Amino acid sequence: MENLLDGIEDILLMGPGPSCVHDKVYEALGKKSIGHLDPYFIRIMDAIKANLRTLLKTENTLTIPMSGTGSSGMEACFVNLIEEDDPVLVLINGVFGMRMQDVAQRLRANVDTLEFDWGTPVVVDQVKKKISEKQYKIVAVVHAETSTGVKNPVAEIGALLKGSETIYLVDAVTSLGGVEIAMDAWGIDALYSGTQKCLSCPPGLAPLSFSDKAVAALESRKTKVPNWYLDLSMIMKYWKGATRAYHHTAPINMHYGLYQALLLILEEGPDNVYQRHMTYHNALVQGLEDMGLSMLVAPDSRLPMLNSVNVPEGVDEAAVRSTLLKQYKIEIGAGLGPLAGKIWRVGLMGHTARQENVTRLLAALKSTLS
Ligand code: PLP
C-alpha cells in the first residue's frame, strides 16, 4: 500500500506559520508516550508552566497550554471571561482582530470595535478616547497581526487600562518567542498563543495565561462556562495541586515538543532569540529593497517575524508563490482579505529566522521575478 508520508518533502517554511521545527523538537515528539497522569508527565507539565511563565515574564499561576491550536486559546479566553451582554471592545486591524470580534459575538457579548487600516497599527489615543466614553469588561487586541505584519502597541494600551476593572486580553500567537512580552509589567490579564509560530513547534497547543484578576472574573461568573472542553475552572484541576483530576486526555507528545521548544529558547536566551529575529528581519528587508521591492508596513510598526512585501505591478503573485514552492521548495504566504493579491507574507519565525534561509529566499525570489 502506498504510504503518503514517504512523499513529504523538506519544505523551507517561510510563510505565516507553521515555521521550521528544530530537529530536537522532532526528536521530542517521537519519544515514547506515557500516561497523562504519570508522575513523570506531571513533572514535564510543571516545567512547561514554569518555562512559559519565564518567557511571558509573569507570575500568573494559571499559565498552561490548552489542547488545540491558537484559535482554541482565543476561544478559551473569551468563553471563560464573557457572559451574555458583557461590554467588550475589540481593536481591529486585520484578520485576527476580526476573528476575536466573531468569537465574542457568538458568545452574545455586547461588542464594540475600533477599526484601523490594515497595514497600520492601533492608534493609542483613539483607544484612550473610546475607553473614556464607556466602561468595558474586556478590551482585546492582537499583538502581532499576522495578516498584515503590524506590531500593535500592546504595552501602551496596557498602560491606559492599568488600575481599571477592565480585563486586558492579548493575542500573542505570532509574537510569543519572537519579540519581548512582559505580561505583568504591561498589565495583560489574559493572553493566548500558539506553538507553530516563533516557538517553532508543530501546531497543536495554545499557551494561555490568566492574571489573578482574570481568574477572579472566571470564579465570579453568574453562569457556567458555556463550553465543556475549554472550561478553565475544570482544566485548572488537572494542571495544579498535589492530586491531578482528569479532564481530557492531554496530547502527551505535543507537550514533549512544547517542552523541548521552550527549553531551546531559554537555553539560547530570550533576548538573544529576539535579537536574532530582528537581525534577519533587517537582512531580509535590505535584500528585498535592494531588489527594488517595498514593504507594506512602516518601519516603526513592522514585525520582525512576519514581513509583508508589496507585489510589484503586473506580477502574478500566486504564480511566484507556486514557483517558489515547486522549484525552490520554499513556502511563503499570500495576502488575506483586502490585501489578497497585493502582498506576500514572508515569515521569519523561530527556527526559520536564520541567515541561510534569508539568503536562499532572496536568491529564489530574484530568479523567479526575473
Ligand atoms: N491569532 C493570530 C495572530 C494568528 O496568526 C493565528 C493563526 O495564524 C491565530 C490567532 C489562530 O491560530 P490557529 O490557526 O493556530 O488556530
Side-chain angles (χ1 to χ4, degrees):
M1 213 174 158
E2 182 195 17
N3 186 339
L4 290 176
L5 299 180
D6 293 336
I8 295 175
E9 292 184 295
D10 191 1
I11 304 291
L12 172 55
L13 297 172
M14 298 191 80
S19 59
C20 296
V21 174
H22 197 288
D23 281 347
K24 283 193 171 172
V25 173
Y26 283 133
E27 281 165 25
L29 290 163
K31 293 222 179 262
K32 298 234 183 305
S33 296
I34 55 177
H36 61 97
L37 289 167
D38 185 312
Y40 200 83
F41 186 64
I42 289 167
R43 280 185 63 192
I44 294 175
M45 291 165 70
D46 288 348
I48 291 173
K49 285 194 296 186
N51 292 342
L52 278 176
R53 277 191 213 111
T54 304
L55 197 57
L56 288 167
K57 297 193 176 168
T58 183
E59 299 291 322
N60 293 340
T61 310
L62 180 50
T63 302
I64 59 172
M66 300 295 289
S67 302
T69 63
S71 303
S72 85
M74 185 188 291
E75 292 261 14
C77 284
F78 283 106
V79 83
N80 281 279
L81 294 171
I82 286 178
E83 293 188 83
E84 198 166 331
D85 286 334
D86 278 345
V88 173
L89 175 64
V90 183
L91 310 173
I92 301 178
N93 56 348
V95 166
F96 296 101
M98 288 175 65
R99 189 176 294 181
M100 281 179 154
Q101 175 190 16
D102 186 13
V103 169
Q105 282 172 337
R106 285 166 193 248
L107 295 165
R108 299 171 191 276
N110 180 353
V111 183
D112 289 347
T113 60
L114 255 186
E115 300 197 22
F116 303 87
D117 288 342
W118 290 34
T120 70
V122 167
V123 178
V124 178
D125 280 346
Q126 290 190 37
V127 181
K128 189 174 181 182
K129 181 165 178 290
K130 191 84 178 166
I131 60 176
S132 70
E133 292 164 358
K134 183 167 166 183
Q135 170 76 35
Y136 289 100
K137 176 171 176 184
I138 296 173
V139 170
V141 68
V142 177
H143 189 193
E145 188 39 92
T146 327
S147 60
T148 63
V150 163
K151 179 156 101 169
N152 279 320
V154 162
E156 291 82 347
I157 298 165
L160 295 178
L161 295 168
K162 265 203 185 138
S164 75
E165 291 192 355
T166 303
I167 292 168
Y168 185 29
L169 197 167
V170 172
D171 174 316
V173 170
T174 287
S175 54
L176 184 63
V179 288
E180 187 200 17
I181 296 178
M183 190 167 176
D184 292 354
W186 297 352
I188 302 170
D189 294 300
L191 174 147
Y192 60 90
S193 187
T195 41
Q196 77 275 23
K197 311 274 186 178
C198 296
L199 297 179
S200 271
C201 198
L205 291 173
L208 169 147
S209 185
F210 267 31
S211 70
D212 290 347
K213 187 159 105 187
V215 173
L218 167 62
E219 286 172 346
S220 62
R221 288 180 67 98
K222 293 187 258 349
T223 54
K224 246 186 176 178
V225 174
N227 181 306
W228 184 89
Y229 192 64
L230 299 173
D231 184 342
L232 284 167
S233 55
M234 293 193 289
I235 293 172
M236 257 194 266
K237 295 181 185 138
Y238 175 54
W239 280 89
K240 72 170 192 197
T243 47
R244 306 292 172 110
Y246 162 69
H247 177 258
H248 65 273
T249 310
I252 304 294
N253 292 49
M254 272 311 300
H255 287 89
Y256 298 166
L258 174 59
Y259 171 83
Q260 181 63 60
L262 290 169
L263 218 57
L264 285 169
I265 292 175
L266 297 183
E267 281 169 358
E268 185 175 345
D271 290 341
N272 297 332
V273 173
Y274 307 148
Q275 187 52 53
R276 177 164 53 76
H277 280 83
M278 195 48 83
T279 301
Y280 297 115
H281 157 74
N282 288 334
L284 176 71
V285 172
Q286 185 64 57
L288 292 167
E289 288 179 349
D290 289 349
M291 283 166 57
L293 295 167
S294 65
M295 307 299 291
L296 173 76
V297 179
D300 283 357
S301 312
R302 275 179 204 158
L303 289 169
M305 74 289 278
L306 195 289
N307 300 273
S308 292
V309 187
N310 292 313
V311 176
E313 279 287 318
V315 170
D316 177 348
E317 76 81 24
V320 171
R321 279 187 294 112
S322 169
T323 303
L324 287 175
L325 185 61
K326 288 197 190 121
Q327 217 167 303
Y328 297 94
K329 310 295 174 209
I330 302 174
E331 179 183 90
I332 64 167
L336 299 174
L339 294 173
K342 296 188 178 152
I343 57 165
W344 291 300
R345 290 181 301 149
V346 180
L348 282 175
M349 298 181 176
H351 190 48
T352 305
R354 311 207 168 265
Q355 181 62 57
E356 61 266 30
N357 297 336
V358 171
T359 307
R360 185 170 149 194
L361 174 71
L362 288 172
L365 195 55
K366 197 170 186 176
S367 62
T368 304
L369 287 173
S370 64

